[in-house]
Amino acid sequence: MLDADTKRRIDTCRDILVGKVPDPKSQVEQITISLIYKFMDDMDAEAEELGGKRSFFVGEYAKYGWSKLMAPSMGGFDVLALYSEAIQKMNENPGIPALFRDIFKNAYLPYRDPETLRIFLKEINEFTYDHSERLGDAFEYLLSVLGSQGDAGQFRTPRHIIDFMIEVIDPKKNESILDPACGTAGFLISAWKHILKANTSPRPQAGAGVRAGDLLSPDERQHIAANIHGYDISPDMVRLSLVNLYLHGFSDPHIVEYDTLTSDEKWNETADVILANPPFMSPKGGIKPHKRFSVQATRSEVLFVDYMAEHLSPQGRAAIVVPEGIIFQSGTAYKQLRAMLVKTSLVAVVSLPAGVFNPYSGVKTSILILDKRLAKQTSEVLFVKIENDGYNLGAQRRAVTGSGLPEAVATLRAFRHSRESGNPEAFDAASYCNALLVDRERIGQNGDWNLSGDRFRVNGNSDTTYPLVELGDTTVFQIESGGTPKSTEESYWGGGIHWATLVDLPQKDFITQITETTRAISETGLKNSSAKVMPVGTVLVSSRATIGRVGIARIPLATNQGFKNIVIRDSSRALPEFVAYMMKRLVPQMEAMATGGTFKEISKSTIATLLIPLPPLAIQQEIVAEIEGYQMRIEELRREMVENEGKIKATINRVWGEAIPDSIGETE
């Protein structure tokens, strides 16, 4: 548990640096370097007290000792020069372990203000070195400021999601553990703590203290630490991982700078447990991997998942955070990857809420659970949907009640136990919330190997079961792309055919009824584009840049190329209003499936793979009427709110008197 005094000191260090080093990542690096600098001096001092000798600050490096920096006789610019020189040369110091040399590799001072440095070092001087959990937790807190996206699309995984994945995978003390995109080593630290907890004696009485992992021998502890490995392409992340592990008791952490996707030096190495949240983004032009991957791809998320699946030992297990593109995308590489996973190692897919990575990204994610041994014991894949991870989905991610994570852990454990015990009938998915078992053969039936649990679900109540229908089902729907006439055409702005654009659908949370537009084109202008006139009742869905605005055409109109238009071919089976409301439910899924650079877009073929529940028309009408009743009530409340705000304003003005203008200081 992080103590308040240590937290205050870390916050103070960041406050001191923020004026000169505004980037949170750079702040963490500067605090990290200075803490290790101070701790090395502490260890030298401790060695002297015990009758030994200094080993870090000796010979030509003795002049860089911490006490020299803090000497009262040192002027501000003298300290600045000495400290700046020390951190740049420390990685050449033969007297310090390779771990510390790696930490100081490419270190430098990014500002030249002696007063800022003096105040900063004074605060660092209050920290003292020890290997307690307290200091490890302090560094974990420091790393928590690194939530923003990195250059390669890295996102710091929330601690409760990491812990959930560890609980599901349950790493053991004799297993090798790997994170091939380790960032700050959060998964590795959590796995280490999990193993210690599993090997700790029960407390004999309330309040009695027991050292974590007291049932482990020193050799076993050393063996566990030696079996924990991490790779990262970023030298900055490697440095932070080394410090994080060191402060959690790893005297020789195994974290290396390594490009998992383009280097093949470690290709023949496997692991019993793999835990990761690999980067979601690929550089322009894609990744150029080596040729040893089973799936030939240029997308980083595809290659990382392929790498992890191929580098599990025969008994190996993995938990991998993936963007929804892995689940839905119709590209050849995505389908090949999913087919390989389903056939060899996939045992479960856990769907997470879309806001888990807020405020840094609203991207929808899932967790793939791989288990090579268990996959051979079951012909099914378990789908688990988590709608509440214990935090609201706003930018601040405040804690809320009703987390579905504990039940998800219980569901996954019960499924595993039923298969391992040879008693599959013992697991009834229907008795668990949002759980569904699907045969592997069924997943691969149509060749796209889609891993969306909703694709295989049915929605219903006690009286009715609602089948899921693809938007690509041409007996019910027809999907038409929009198109834009050439701006050089004289008829571009003239004529009588209405033409809708994104601005005609201004609301993101409601359905827009388009009864007119400010733009109209002629038949000639329409012929010179790929646009078609959509009939009344067509559901319009914005599919480029701003994805997920939904409207209904109440007049015949054409749309620009930023739309996919759902024409209802069988009005006896689908109501436009109902389809429109169901499309709003799919907005997070559409956003996750979109591809492209500056303006992401969801393709016509991808839209066609989406499924919506389609109850009988009478039930659709009842549902639409119910929703519209709620919307009318919302509008009434909004009007009341505006009226009451006006009454508040009038009351305040009455106190001021009629002569006082509404805005104080307002002039005529």
Side-chain angles (χ1 to χ4, degrees), residues 66-302:
W66 189 264
S67 59
K68 302 289 194 301
L69 288 171
M70 304 306 294
S73 60
M74 290 283 284
F77 283 100
D78 294 330
V79 173
L80 182 70
L82 186 64
Y83 181 76
S84 181
E85 179 182 317
I87 62 175
Q88 290 183 64
K89 288 190 173 183
M90 202 60 67
N91 73 311
E92 301 172 6
N93 186 347
I96 66 176
L99 165 66
F100 293 148
R101 288 200 297 273
D102 288 341
I103 291 170
F104 282 99
K105 185 179 180 182
N106 299 322
Y108 72 100
L109 189 66
Y111 60 92
R112 308 301 296 175
D113 179 16
E115 184 60 20
T116 298
L117 179 62
R118 185 188 66 80
I119 299 172
F120 174 69
L121 294 180
K122 183 178 180 181
E123 195 64 39
I124 292 293
N125 194 51
E126 297 299 315
F127 289 91
T128 56
Y129 169 74
D130 61 45
H131 267 319
S132 70
E133 187 73 8
R134 181 172 61 87
L135 198 50
D137 286 340
F139 194 70
E140 285 286 300
Y141 169 69
L142 181 61
L143 294 179
S144 71
V145 306
L146 293 179
S148 56
Q149 182 182 3
D151 294 336
Q154 312 101 318
F155 290 95
R156 183 178 185 274
T157 313
R159 171 57 53 191
H160 66 291
I161 299 298
I162 292 178
D163 290 342
F164 165 75
M165 294 165 66
I166 299 294
E167 285 293 312
V168 170
I169 295 300
D170 189 24
K172 306 296 186 184
K173 66 180 182 180
N174 59 338
E175 293 181 316
S176 56
I177 301 169
L178 171 67
D179 182 346
C182 67
T184 60
F187 281 104
L188 303 180
I189 296 295
S190 187
W192 165 252
K193 291 181 178 179
H194 177 87
I195 295 171
L196 292 183
K197 182 179 178 181
N199 292 276
T200 300
S201 301
R203 295 188 176 184
Q205 58 187 28
V210 175
R211 183 195 180 200
D214 67 303
L215 297 178
L216 297 169
S217 68
D219 286 344
E220 285 178 319
R221 280 179 172 265
Q222 187 175 358
H223 178 73
I224 295 167
N227 266 341
I228 294 178
H229 294 259
Y231 314 148
D232 203 280
I233 194 173
S234 166
D236 295 333
M237 291 296 106
V238 170
R239 175 189 295 154
L240 295 176
S241 292
L242 289 171
V243 175
N244 199 8
L245 287 162
Y246 181 74
L247 294 178
H248 280 88
F250 289 68
S251 59
D252 183 25
H254 299 290
I255 306 293
V256 296
E257 184 179 338
Y258 181 69
D259 188 339
T260 306
L261 305 184
T262 63
S263 300
D264 64 354
E265 299 166 16
K266 299 181 180 296
W267 185 262
N268 294 327
E269 298 177 11
T270 62
D272 300 316
V273 170
I274 297 180
L275 302 152
N277 175 9
F280 293 172
M281 294 172 63
S282 300
K284 186 175 181 180
I287 303 289
K288 295 180 173 58
H290 54 74
K291 301 299 182 183
R292 302 180 73 174
F293 287 90
S294 294
V295 178
Q296 299 304 307
T298 59
R299 301 290 302 176
S300 63
E301 65 268 29
V302 174

Side-chain angles (χ1 to χ4, degrees), residues 292-561:
R292 302 180 73 174
F293 287 90
S294 294
V295 178
Q296 299 304 307
T298 59
R299 301 290 302 176
S300 63
E301 65 268 29
V302 174
L303 292 168
F304 266 115
V305 176
D306 182 5
Y307 183 93
M308 288 180 262
E310 294 196 59
H311 286 78
L312 284 175
S313 68
Q315 307 295 315
R317 309 183 303 286
I320 313 164
V321 178
V322 296
E324 290 297 90
I326 292 290
I327 305 297
F328 301 115
Q329 286 286 6
S330 58
T332 301
Y334 290 93
K335 290 192 286 188
Q336 288 178 347
L337 175 68
R338 292 194 293 265
M340 181 266 285
L341 294 175
V342 172
K343 292 175 182 178
T344 62
S345 57
L346 184 70
V347 294
V349 179
V350 180
S351 174
L352 297 175
V356 165
F357 285 96
N358 278 340
Y360 315 111
S361 171
V363 65
K364 173 76 173 66
T365 56
S366 291
I367 299 171
L368 302 181
I369 307 298
L370 311 183
D371 190 319
K372 283 196 169 182
R373 180 175 56 83
L374 190 64
K376 294 177 180 178
Q377 297 175 292
T378 178
S379 61
E380 298 161 312
V381 173
L382 176 64
F383 291 88
V384 178
K385 187 173 185 178
I386 296 173
E387 296 180 339
N388 176 1
D389 69 330
Y391 296 84
N392 68 23
L393 301 181
Q396 300 303 316
R397 295 287 281 150
R398 294 187 174 88
V400 295
T401 58
S403 171
L405 294 177
E407 182 171 357
V409 171
T411 304
L412 290 158
R413 284 180 174 174
F415 171 64
R416 175 183 296 279
H417 178 72
S418 70
R419 269 53 186 178
E420 289 179 339
S421 64
N423 185 21
E425 294 80 11
F427 179 79
D428 178 14
S431 64
Y432 294 90
C433 182
N434 289 327
L436 179 70
L437 274 176
V438 180
D439 286 335
R440 296 175 191 274
E441 289 186 4
R442 184 182 173 195
I443 294 173
Q445 269 179 349
N446 64 358
D448 67 358
W449 301 88
N450 191 301
L451 295 179
S452 167
D454 288 340
R455 184 184 184 88
F456 307 104
R457 295 178 193 275
V458 291
N459 300 323
N461 52 33
S462 58
D463 302 317
T464 316
T465 296
Y466 306 152
L468 291 170
V469 176
E470 275 193 348
L471 293 179
D473 185 340
T474 55
T475 65
V476 187
F477 307 111
Q478 180 175 325
I479 301 173
E480 296 284 0
S481 299
T484 304
K486 297 178 181 178
S487 58
T488 55
E489 292 287 339
E490 294 180 1
S491 56
Y492 187 64
W493 296 108
I497 300 173
H498 292 278
W499 175 43
T501 68
L502 190 64
V503 296
D504 294 307
L505 281 71
Q507 297 291 338
K508 192 168 180 65
D509 298 325
F510 299 97
I511 306 304
T512 304
Q513 309 286 345
I514 300 182
T515 57
E516 62 178 338
T517 64
T518 59
R519 292 155 304 281
I521 58 177
S522 69
E523 291 185 13
T524 303
L526 190 65
K527 288 177 182 177
N528 285 290
S529 76
S530 58
K532 298 179 181 179
V533 178
M534 299 295 109
V536 173
T538 298
V539 178
L540 317 177
V541 182
S542 62
S543 58
R544 186 181 185 191
T546 302
I547 295 171
R549 296 186 184 184
V550 179
I552 301 175
R554 297 305 185 189
I555 54 173
L557 53 75
T559 64
N560 72 2
Q561 59 190 4

